């Protein structure tokens, strides 16, 4: 069961690893990211951030889609973390089980649109988020679980 798909350019760090995992009751974290697969230092850092008692899986986007759709992740309370809205959109468009996206932290972009203090999107990402919202996917902004949700459909 997919608990949440979160976008955070830092991927797994204290806030994500502990606050969100605990709040969601997740027992497995899936890091879906193409770049990390070729960066041993980053992979090691992410592994060190994993909460005790929580399974950590690191896959590229294509393999993440295949795993989710195969049903192999169904036995977990799955928390998915991606680096960018683009990756979240790709996963959500290929995995109908994803119904909730949390935007937590996206780096400032040269030609991007600022949706909040911590969220920047490209025109392409904005269009993708609109498509998902129109299909019924909840897209919200929140840094930590205790914060009030800000619905993205009110911002784009």
């Amino acid at each position: 069961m997919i608990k949440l798909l979160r976008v955070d350019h830092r991927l797994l760090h204290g806030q994500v690893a502990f606050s969100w995992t605990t709040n969601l009751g997740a027992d497995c974290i899936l890091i879906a990211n193409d770049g990390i697969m070729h960066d041993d230092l980053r992979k090691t850092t992410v592994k060190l951030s994993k909460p005790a008692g929580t399974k950590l899986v690191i896959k590229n986007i294509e393999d993440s889609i295949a795993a989710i759709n195969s049903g192999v992740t169904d036995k977990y309370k799955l928390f998915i973390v991606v680096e960018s809205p683009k990756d979240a959109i790709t996963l959500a468009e290929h995995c109908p089980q994803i119904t909730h996206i949390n935007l937590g932290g996206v780096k400032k972009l040269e030609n991007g649109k600022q949706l909040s203090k911590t969220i920047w999107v490209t025109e392409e990402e904005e269009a993708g988020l609109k498509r998902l919202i129109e299909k019924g996917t909840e897209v919200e902004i929140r840094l930590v679980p205790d914060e009030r949700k800000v619905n993205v459909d009110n911002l784009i």
Side-chain angles (χ1 to χ4, degrees), residues 9-140:
H9 68 272
R10 299 172 292 173
L11 293 174
L12 194 61
H13 55 90
Q15 183 174 294
V16 171
F18 298 98
S19 297
W20 282 101
T21 303
T22 301
N23 180 271
L24 296 169
D27 57 11
C28 182
I29 299 170
L30 169 60
I31 302 294
N33 182 266
D34 291 337
I36 199 170
M37 301 308 296
H38 309 288
D39 187 338
D40 289 336
L41 178 62
R42 196 164 183 212
K43 220 185 298 186
T44 299
T45 303
V46 163
K47 288 177 182 177
L48 291 172
S49 300
K50 177 190 84 69
T54 304
K55 181 177 178 66
L56 175 66
V57 178
I58 302 172
K59 294 185 174 292
N60 64 31
I61 298 296
E62 184 179 333
D63 290 345
S64 295
I65 291 168
I68 292 165
N69 287 329
S70 75
V72 73
T73 62
D74 291 352
K75 62 186 173 188
Y76 297 106
K77 295 175 190 157
L78 189 63
F79 177 31
I80 305 168
V81 183
V82 297
E83 188 174 41
S84 70
K86 179 182 180 215
D87 289 346
I89 293 161
T90 300
L91 279 175
E93 288 183 334
H94 290 89
C95 302
Q97 312 87 314
I98 296 172
T99 59
H100 186 182
I101 298 173
N102 165 262
L103 302 177
V106 180
K107 290 181 190 176
K108 183 177 180 177
L109 303 169
E110 267 310 296
N111 298 319
K113 177 180 179 181
Q114 187 174 14
L115 297 183
S116 76
K117 185 171 67 174
T118 61
I119 305 296
W120 294 77
V121 295
T122 64
E123 285 183 27
E124 179 185 337
E125 291 169 338
E126 184 177 12
L129 292 172
K130 282 180 183 178
R131 281 194 311 274
L132 290 174
I133 290 166
E134 288 168 3
K135 289 164 68 175
T137 304
E138 180 184 359
V139 182
E140 50 118 315

